[in-house]
Amino acid sequence: MKQRSVLVVLFDGIQSLDVTGPLEVFAGASGFPEVTYELRTASLDGTPVRSSSGLVLVPDGSLADAATPHTLLVPGGEGTRDPAPGLIDWLRLHGPCPERLVSVCSGALLLAAAGQLDGHRVTTHWNVCDHLARTHPAVEVDPEPIFVRDGRLATSAGVTAGIDLALALVEEDHGREVALTVARHLVVFLRRPGNQSQFSAQLTAQTARREPLREVQHWITEHPGEDLSVESLAARARLSPRHFARAFQAETGMTPGRYVDRVRLEQARRLLEDTTDGVTGIASTCGYGTPEAMRRAFLKALGTGPAEYRRRFSPRPAGDPATTTKQLTH
């Protein structure tokens, strides 16, 4: 049995969920036979820190006394805006040592300041992606995924994405069944795939102010397989097609067609990830009409077809009878 140590860096202004979320995942995995994560927390001088919500976290010790861990995890939070110089110096010196270097949310800002992200593809909370890219041009910032793996480096988007990343790391270390059981215990998905967007269609678009347009937004989300032409949606909103299209874009920041495309793609991805339904059926359910139309939409948005997407993010291991009995259509 290989024991893996995880050291979580603490500092004032930390986001407490960035700490507790991943720790709960690793602790849950450690309840299995043959699985052991040694979990420790440390602040710069070993004193308690106050999180952004006011919660006080008491570390196990100081960073100066911490042994080199297998996985070094740096959370985010408001405290990343003006970090202690000593913390950046410690990360600069010790960041290259662990087998895995991980950041959650805006913790990527601390790693970037310490020179640990140069030349790497990373992500962080959508609200600080532009800042990270602007202040550290040697870092390749991808604002879309919920987490990114680049060699020994792993970075995630905000808050709950740290749980997704931790589950992916547990799966990498100890297999799918361990990660799946931990996810069930925490009542979360096994994992959202790392390249899943930080934004759902509903979050990407603004919510319309006027009730008829809001109702249309909700109806699109709940009925992706229906006729979602501008004419049909305009009739539902009791507006002329021209007025509806103009008002929808003005209030949501997105054309009706673009919103429909995103909703359908999001629903199709979810069905591919979470069910064993055939691609033909999913294409019909999500309003694509034919598997070929769905394939074109996937290639345009994701650079891969539905069958390959399912192979990479299937909810079942390769070779599972439930996945092999259904014929997938490219």
Side-chain angles (χ1 to χ4, degrees):
M1 177 179 65
K2 181 177 180 181
Q3 184 181 63
R4 290 176 170 86
S5 57
V6 179
L7 176 65
V8 181
V9 176
L10 302 184
F11 50 86
D12 282 323
I14 203 167
Q15 165 60 256
S16 58
L17 282 176
D18 290 357
V19 178
T20 58
L23 282 179
E24 289 292 344
V25 171
F26 292 123
S30 294
F32 282 79
E34 306 302 317
V35 177
T36 301
Y37 287 101
E38 179 190 352
L39 305 177
R40 292 187 62 81
T41 59
S43 64
L44 191 59
D45 56 5
T47 59
V49 302
R50 185 175 293 276
S51 72
S52 57
S53 65
L55 182 68
V56 174
L57 303 177
V58 180
D60 294 309
S62 70
L63 290 173
D65 296 331
T68 299
H70 171 273
T71 299
L72 178 63
L73 190 149
V74 181
E78 294 178 0
T80 61
R81 298 177 182 176
D82 187 24
L87 177 58
I88 302 302
D89 291 341
W90 188 91
L91 290 172
R92 183 177 293 111
L93 179 62
H94 295 275
C97 302
E99 291 186 35
R100 281 196 305 228
L101 183 60
V102 178
S103 70
V104 178
C105 195
S106 57
L109 295 176
L110 301 180
L111 293 183
Q116 302 302 302
L117 303 187
D118 289 356
H120 291 283
R121 175 173 168 260
V122 307
T123 194
T124 185
H125 191 286
W126 61 267
N127 197 39
V128 297
C129 280
D130 287 345
H131 174 72
L132 177 59
R134 186 173 59 255
T135 54
H136 298 279
V139 179
E140 181 187 349
V141 181
D142 189 341
E144 280 290 319
I146 58 173
F147 64 82
V148 169
R149 294 296 306 276
D150 187 351
R152 60 183 285 270
L153 182 66
T155 54
S156 78
V159 192
T160 57
I163 295 177
D164 294 296
L165 177 53
L167 286 167
L169 297 178
V170 167
E171 184 175 0
E172 175 184 297
D173 293 342
H174 298 290
R176 181 178 181 82
E177 287 307 310
V178 173
L180 178 58
T181 304
V182 174
R184 285 172 175 162
H185 179 72
L186 296 176
V187 199
V188 296
F189 292 109
L190 166 58
R191 63 178 168 91
R192 295 176 290 173
N195 73 339
Q196 182 169 312
S197 175
Q198 295 189 35
F199 306 102
S200 66
Q202 296 93 324
L203 289 177
T204 304
Q206 304 167 36
T207 300
R209 295 188 302 275
R210 283 183 279 179
E211 184 64 27
L213 296 179
R214 283 202 306 274
E215 289 180 358
V216 167
Q217 280 184 283
H218 296 320
W219 196 84
I220 292 171
T221 302
E222 294 172 0
H223 303 85
E226 299 289 337
D227 175 10
L228 301 182
S229 64
V230 168
E231 291 75 16
S232 175
L233 296 176
R236 182 166 292 275
R238 297 182 176 82
L239 298 171
S240 71
R242 175 180 289 186
H243 186 190
F244 169 78
R246 186 167 56 244
F248 190 95
Q249 182 167 7
E251 295 201 16
T252 69
M254 189 178 295
T255 66
R258 179 62 173 154
Y259 187 80
V260 168
D261 287 346
R262 290 207 172 196
V263 167
R264 283 176 167 162
L265 183 68
E266 184 177 310
Q267 177 67 1
R269 290 173 68 170
R270 184 178 299 114
L271 291 175
L272 287 169
E273 293 164 17
D274 297 340
T275 76
T276 56
D277 295 349
V279 171
T280 299
I282 292 175
S284 176
T285 297
C286 296
Y288 287 109
T290 67
E292 176 58 24
M294 179 169 151
R295 189 184 73 86
R296 289 196 300 268
F298 267 65
L299 289 173
K300 180 180 179 181
L302 304 174
T304 188
E308 173 62 15
Y309 184 89
R310 167 169 273 169
R311 187 189 69 78
R312 294 171 59 193
F313 302 117
S314 171
R316 298 176 184 270
D320 189 301
T323 60
T324 56
T325 55
K326 290 183 180 272
Q327 180 67 36
L328 301 184
T329 303
H330 286 270

